[in-house]
Amino acid sequence: MDTSRKTLVIAETVNTDAHGKACDPVQRVAALGIVKNPLAGAFHEDLTQLFEIGAELGAQLVSMALAQLTKPVVSYGKAAIVGVNGDMEHGGALIHPRLGAPMRSAIGGGGAVIPSNVKIGGAGASIDLPLGHKDNPWSFDHFDTMSLTVADAPLPDEIVMCVAFADGGRPIPRCGRGPVKA
């Protein structure tokens, strides 16, 4: 059953850095779903309803995003924009308890924590979805961001749920891991 008002996929291929220097192409794909927030408008201790929506919609979004990639996944991330009648925990309930497992399962693993971001916003709000290497949380060259927006979402009683995958890091990365200091 599709619980979303609508879904969309944003796919981009980066062929140069910001200065026009050619790089190995990096493909980044985000899938977004807009859902009604059944807990909007009041405080709720039990967020289980959103856990369930997150698991169901998350599996659908993961499939949509991965269908667009042509090379293996190297990086991943997730995010949510909660409409103004909801609260931050509603976004967290969608993307934390039950979303990581389907993301990792679909790509055959992923040992690193999935970077995430949640915020409150109105229709047209943007969110910076963080990306990080799926296995190495210290790969600075894979710290990246996709800035995402949906013109007509979230409405006050909606949540925009986002998942993203990439087949590489930033174009022409030069940070490496850097020295580790105690």
Side-chain angles (χ1 to χ4, degrees):
M1 177 176 96
D2 191 345
T3 58
S4 60
R5 172 166 67 91
K6 72 177 183 177
T7 58
L8 62 148
V9 174
I10 300 170
E12 60 188 29
T13 303
V14 179
N15 296 303
T16 72
D17 72 359
H19 303 286
K21 183 173 172 65
C23 63
D24 292 334
V26 177
Q27 191 175 27
R28 298 185 285 213
V29 179
L32 296 75
I34 294 83
V35 294
K36 183 127 179 109
N37 181 352
L39 306 182
F43 178 84
H44 296 272
E45 189 69 39
D46 182 2
L47 304 177
T48 305
Q49 208 173 349
L50 291 170
F51 300 165
E52 301 299 323
I53 293 169
E56 182 179 320
L57 180 58
Q60 177 186 355
L61 296 177
V62 166
S63 179
M64 290 170 57
L66 292 178
Q68 302 296 311
L69 285 174
T70 58
K71 294 190 286 185
V73 170
V74 174
S75 299
Y76 53 19
K78 57 190 178 178
I81 309 171
V82 180
V84 296
N85 288 346
D87 70 42
M88 295 281 284
E89 289 301 298
H90 298 166
L94 277 186
I95 68 170
H96 293 306
R98 306 241 344 250
L99 180 57
M103 289 180 74
R104 287 184 178 90
S105 175
I107 63 171
V113 169
I114 302 169
S116 64
N117 192 11
V118 175
K119 70 183 255 183
I120 302 288
S126 65
I127 191 157
D128 291 331
L129 184 150
L131 292 165
H133 194 283
K134 68 182 184 69
D135 294 312
N136 181 358
W138 293 104
S139 179
F140 297 165
D141 291 347
H142 290 86
F143 293 174
D144 205 353
T145 303
M146 285 187 79
S147 295
L148 307 170
T149 189
V150 181
D152 67 345
L155 297 175
D157 63 346
E158 291 181 330
I159 302 174
V160 178
M161 180 177 173
C162 317
V163 300
F165 299 94
D167 64 13
R170 294 185 314 279
I172 315 174
R174 297 174 298 283
C175 293
R177 177 163 188 231
V180 177
K181 298 188 185 201

